[in-house]
Amino acid sequence: MNILVIGGNRFAGKGVVEHLVTEDNNVTLLNRTGTGPSGCKYIKCDRRTDTQLIPFLSNHKYDVILDMCCYDSTDIKTLFDSGVTCNHYILMSTLLTKENTKDGESKASAEHYLGSSAMFPYTIIRSGYMLGKNNPRKRIQYYVEQMKEKNPFNVNSSGNEPLYVNDVEDVITTIINVVNLTHLGTSYRNIINIPGFNTNTIELISIVNGTILGNYTVTNKQTDTPFDIPIKHQTVSLNNNTLNNLIRKLTRHYTLIHHYEKILIC
């Protein structure tokens, strides 16, 4: 297949591209650094600037366009206006589209524009917050570092909003399956939600804190009161296989947490 991947040079996108090139696909990466896994063609370009996109994409046709870094509806419009065409467009989105967050609202606008203005058959893949090796955002590592040093840390809003967690390998596998099925002409639904572990930010902090670091008081600085969920060791259900699996993934993927692996209950 002739595949254009927008992004594709780190984390989930990089994992997908590394797999696609082993299947003898012709993969072109378009990102701001013009870099990515070996075996690809590279386009160094800011996808948010139509004057940059048009010279590279106008009158080009791909079997699949995999968009790993679309931020909002403007990104899709700019891409479609470039003159590029494809047999199938895949948008990587988030399970937070219905939540009152900046990222969720931006992704929701992208999905809405795609649903109303799509020029090609499309699939939207939604994932939660991804955990895995070489995660550039290091969200869990940030919490561990701050708690370890007894430092304050930032939590968005109240911390009680839903948080959906996926293993990055599950996300990679889902994307690859969709790419391959579109090539086979298989009819696929427009929206795919990747199942994962449902929690919220404070519960996740509680898991990390109670299992790895011991007791730690987390205060909501907006109200100067403790968060709704007490951060205590006994609040963590260590008999829950889902939580244990999550912690084991954390210990594999974050070197800082490896120092505390000896105290885990598995």
Side-chain angles (χ1 to χ4, degrees):
M1 280 188 291
N2 192 22
I3 303 172
L4 172 66
V5 180
I6 303 176
N9 59 342
R10 63 179 187 172
F11 205 33
K14 182 179 180 182
V16 170
V17 171
E18 288 174 340
H19 184 91
L20 291 176
V21 296
T22 65
E23 295 185 334
D24 295 327
N25 295 297
N26 296 316
V27 181
T28 300
L29 301 186
L30 187 153
N31 53 55
R32 286 178 293 182
T33 62
T35 61
S38 60
C40 305
K41 299 176 184 177
Y42 310 98
I43 299 175
K44 184 177 181 180
C45 176
D46 183 354
R47 60 95 43 86
R48 308 211 81 186
T49 307
D50 55 359
T51 55
Q52 290 190 30
L53 280 179
I54 291 173
F56 290 113
L57 298 183
S58 181
N59 298 319
H60 282 67
K61 182 173 183 178
Y62 296 90
D63 294 305
V64 175
I65 295 178
L66 172 59
D67 199 339
M68 295 295 299
C69 62
C70 173
Y71 183 68
D72 57 23
S73 58
T74 301
D75 286 348
I76 297 182
K77 184 178 186 304
T78 303
L79 176 66
F80 288 178
D81 288 347
S82 71
V84 70
T85 60
C86 66
N87 294 327
H88 203 97
Y89 173 78
I90 300 173
L91 170 66
M92 194 65 210
S93 187
T94 174
L95 287 167
L96 295 176
T97 53
K98 295 183 179 180
E99 307 303 330
N100 187 26
T101 65
K102 185 176 181 181
D103 285 347
E105 291 173 354
S106 298
K107 291 289 189 179
S109 75
E111 290 190 10
H112 177 75
Y113 181 85
L114 184 60
S116 62
S117 307
M119 301 171 62
F120 330 105
Y122 70 89
T123 301
I124 297 169
I125 301 176
R126 295 173 177 160
S127 79
Y129 176 73
M130 289 181 275
L131 295 180
K133 187 177 180 181
N134 299 320
N135 183 350
R137 301 187 70 175
K138 299 183 179 179
R139 182 173 187 172
I140 308 303
Q141 184 172 333
Y142 164 75
Y143 292 143
V144 173
E145 289 173 343
Q146 296 302 100
M147 285 190 284
K148 177 176 177 289
E149 299 300 324
K150 303 297 182 182
N151 292 329
F153 53 84
N154 295 320
V155 175
N156 291 335
S157 189
S158 68
N160 292 321
E161 292 78 14
L163 176 66
Y164 308 98
V165 181
N166 291 107
D167 187 298
V168 67
E169 295 300 325
D170 292 336
V171 176
I172 291 171
T173 299
T174 301
I175 295 171
I176 292 168
N177 286 341
V178 173
V179 170
N180 289 333
L181 285 170
T182 59
H183 179 59
L184 294 173
T186 303
S187 177
Y188 223 91
R189 61 185 182 274
N190 290 127
I191 298 177
I192 298 171
N193 295 326
I194 304 175
F197 174 62
N198 297 338
T199 179
N200 64 42
T201 300
I202 298 304
E203 286 178 337
L204 187 59
I205 293 171
S206 176
I207 294 167
V208 174
N209 168 70
T211 309
I212 298 172
L213 299 176
N215 292 344
Y216 186 80
T217 301
V218 179
T219 300
N220 184 340
K221 293 301 182 181
Q222 295 178 355
T223 61
D224 202 31
T225 59
F227 278 105
D228 294 342
I229 300 174
I231 308 302
K232 296 180 181 178
H233 186 81
Q234 58 263 34
T235 65
V236 182
S237 175
L238 291 174
N239 293 322
N240 186 305
N241 288 333
T242 302
L243 300 188
N244 278 330
N245 288 337
L246 175 62
I247 294 299
R248 280 195 285 268
K249 287 182 168 88
L250 292 176
T251 60
R252 285 202 302 269
H253 297 316
Y254 293 94
T255 57
L256 184 65
I257 299 179
H258 280 219
H259 299 305
Y260 303 93
E261 190 172 5
K262 61 182 181 296
I263 70 170
L264 292 179
I265 300 176
C266 298

